[in-house]
Amino acid sequence: MKAKILSYLLYFGAILFLASCEDFLKEENRNSLTSDPFFTTQSGYESLINSCYTPLRLWYGREDAYGITETGTDLFTKAAGNTNTTLNDYDPIAFNGTNTPLTNYWKYLYRGINSCNAAIGRAKNAVISADLKKQRVAEARFLRAFYYWHIVETWGATHFTTEETIGVQTTANKTAPEEIYEQIFNDLDSCINSNLSDKKNNGGRITIWAAKALKARLSLTRASETDNSQLYKQAADLAIEIIESGLFSLNPDYKSIWNMSNADGPTNSEVIWYVEFSNDHLYNKPEYDDYTIRNGGHNGHLLFCMKYDDQPGMKRDILNGRPFNRFMPTLYFVNLFDEAVDQRWNGSFKQVWMMNNPANKGKYVNMTDTAIYLYKGTASAEQKAAVATKYQLLDFND
């Protein structure tokens, strides 16, 4: 009898235990905030708009982006310090989806588009003023057009959507460039017809001038691709409107655009729109920790410098820059310039390095000031002999 009673108690105890486990396993999230209610608030929606801008820092001033867009063309090629020669050489084996820069930018440009799609789609529920909402949606539509422009010009027919992707998506479509450009121009027209700021600049945010300038540029892009005379006229009309606004002007001295005094977008008379970086590198950090490129700010000024610091008479200094020597101009590019009449030659290219390390002259025992001179042309044997002990004379053959 005792055994039966004990077995009944164990039986009912097991039932009670399982019931209590079921209650215990039911989860109720009491302390986290999902994106849906957060993005309806003003601060939440503003943070969503800000996230649309973030990928811009992953594109501009980055080594891999220069590799994708500049090298392997008639203007720029790989230099000795290049770390991804596949992009320049169009390597038939490695130039594919496993290439790190191509994979990264596919991922991050589409993340930017998804943020823009989310900002546009969620705007209707955002608790902000109607005017501000219209402006923020216009910013998101500009950036969506901007990212799709980079994608379609890099990959051609590719995946296209204007809806926010939520959760895992395992299928893709292959949309023709014509259809993607149709949406790009629709987005830009919507921006131009919105209440975007018409000031010269708006603290790095999109202005109506940025929208018109991008539409002019892309009109030229499509006109050259399709031989559409109407698009050429559209580009010209928009460009003339921007010029005649009186807000922007070219610097009379081309070289001055590289001066630090002109480095900030708001104070540079030539700049229509700019991507903001920060003096605090915490804010320049990529939005995702898995990004493989160099962290920090804009690196473009490092990537085109010649490796001068291991040459006789030279050591690394601030004036001559950190010589990452990733990219170099082609001879074709160099020969495009007539230095006698074109400011862009002396304003863009460095030909002379002044000695800053007299303790290491090497064979140039008579070096006094000049350490390296790059001669635009082919130097004669007599010219080289005349300076053989004074400085390095490097010409096209070098």
Side-chain angles (χ1 to χ4, degrees):
M1 188 60 147
K2 288 182 179 179
K4 287 184 177 180
I5 292 172
L6 180 61
S7 65
Y8 284 134
L9 290 173
L10 290 173
Y11 177 73
F12 285 114
I15 292 175
L16 290 171
F17 175 76
L18 291 173
S20 63
C21 282
E22 185 178 351
D23 290 338
F24 174 75
L25 291 173
K26 288 181 179 178
E27 295 185 8
E28 185 174 349
N29 192 345
R30 295 180 182 274
N31 58 9
S32 70
L33 189 65
T34 64
S35 62
D36 292 302
F38 177 61
F39 288 150
T40 62
T41 66
Q42 179 163 345
S43 61
Y45 189 71
E46 291 283 17
S47 72
L48 179 56
I49 292 294
N50 291 343
S51 73
C52 298
Y53 283 87
T54 302
L56 295 169
R57 290 177 178 166
L58 304 177
W59 180 261
Y60 283 104
R62 303 296 184 174
E63 180 177 337
D64 288 347
Y66 284 115
I68 292 173
T69 58
E70 301 295 341
T71 60
T73 67
D74 55 351
L75 302 183
F76 286 97
T77 186
K78 60 186 178 184
N82 194 283
T83 57
N84 197 316
T85 60
T86 297
L87 297 172
N88 182 83
D89 299 343
Y90 300 97
D91 188 307
I93 297 176
F95 192 65
N96 54 41
T98 65
N99 182 272
T100 300
L102 293 175
T103 300
N104 281 340
Y105 280 113
W106 173 275
K107 179 166 53 178
Y108 290 106
L109 288 171
Y110 272 111
R111 280 180 174 173
I113 285 172
N114 200 50
S115 294
C116 295
N117 286 341
I120 296 166
R122 293 172 181 264
K124 59 182 179 294
N125 296 321
V127 184
I128 58 177
S129 70
D131 286 344
L132 182 60
K133 183 183 297 188
K134 188 176 180 181
Q135 180 179 332
R136 294 294 185 255
V137 169
E139 292 175 42
R141 294 192 71 162
F142 174 97
L143 292 168
R144 180 169 68 181
F146 188 84
Y147 295 137
Y148 265 129
W149 166 44
H150 286 79
I151 285 174
V152 73
E153 289 300 320
T154 303
W155 287 283
T158 187
H159 182 69
F160 173 73
T161 181
T162 57
E163 299 296 327
E164 177 185 3
T165 299
I166 301 175
V168 177
Q169 182 174 319
T170 58
T171 59
N173 59 66
K174 188 175 183 180
T175 303
E178 293 76 16
E179 186 174 341
I180 297 175
Y181 264 106
E182 182 179 356
Q183 181 62 50
I184 288 173
F185 282 116
N186 284 341
D187 279 341
L188 292 177
D189 286 339
S190 175
C191 294
I192 292 171
N193 294 321
S194 71
N195 61 339
L196 283 173
S197 171
D198 60 359
K199 296 179 181 178
K200 179 182 183 297
N201 63 74
N202 189 30
R205 291 189 180 276
I206 310 304
T207 66
I208 195 167
W209 303 111
K212 290 180 178 181
L214 183 58
K215 185 180 178 183
R217 179 167 183 167
L218 299 193
S219 296
L220 280 178
T221 299
R222 294 308 292 161
S224 63
E225 181 71 21
T226 61
D227 196 26
N228 185 323
S229 60
Q230 186 59 37
L231 286 176
Y232 279 119
K233 183 180 184 305
Q234 179 172 272
D237 290 343
L238 287 165
I240 290 170
E241 182 181 355
I242 295 166
I243 293 168
E244 292 182 347
S245 71
L247 295 172
F248 313 97
S249 61
L250 297 179
N251 290 318
D253 177 15
Y254 180 84
K255 192 174 184 177
S256 69
I257 67 174
W258 309 114
N259 291 345
M260 287 302 294
S261 59
N262 288 322
D264 287 332
T267 59
N268 191 317
S269 66
E270 295 194 6
V271 171
I272 297 176
W273 174 60
Y274 55 91
V275 175
E276 285 198 310
F277 287 85
S278 173
N279 289 328
D280 185 342
H281 284 313
L282 177 65
Y283 297 109
N284 294 327
K285 183 179 166 80
E287 59 181 323
Y288 303 102
D289 289 337
D290 61 342
Y291 203 64
T292 58
I293 58 175
R294 183 177 298 275
N295 288 335
H298 196 295
N299 308 140
H301 59 293
L302 313 175
L303 304 175
F304 297 83
C305 290
M306 187 184 80
K307 190 78 167 66
Y308 66 88
D309 56 349
D310 56 358
Q311 300 300 304
M314 297 301 300
K315 63 182 179 181
R316 183 180 295 192
D317 61 14
I318 293 175
L319 177 65
N320 291 292
R322 296 174 65 189
F324 281 21
N325 69 316
R326 299 295 196 257
F327 312 114
M328 62 183 291
T330 62
L331 286 178
Y332 171 79
F333 186 31
V334 170
N335 281 320
L336 288 176
F337 296 89
D338 180 354
E339 60 270 32
V341 298
D342 195 336
Q343 285 191 26
R344 293 174 300 174
W345 172 258
N346 288 323
S348 301
F349 293 91
K350 186 176 179 69
Q351 289 180 266
V352 178
W353 281 256
M354 304 303 291
M355 177 180 65
N356 63 8
N357 186 17
N360 181 32
K361 294 182 179 181
K363 68 179 183 179
Y364 303 98
V365 293
N366 295 318
M367 183 183 295
T368 58
D369 48 19
T370 302
I372 306 170
Y373 175 58
L374 300 186
Y375 177 60
K376 187 185 176 189
T378 303
S380 66
E382 291 77 13
Q383 287 175 312
K384 289 204 169 187
V387 299
T389 64
K390 298 178 180 179
Y391 57 83
Q392 282 194 77
L393 174 59
L394 304 174
D395 65 8
F396 280 171
N397 289 331
D398 298 309

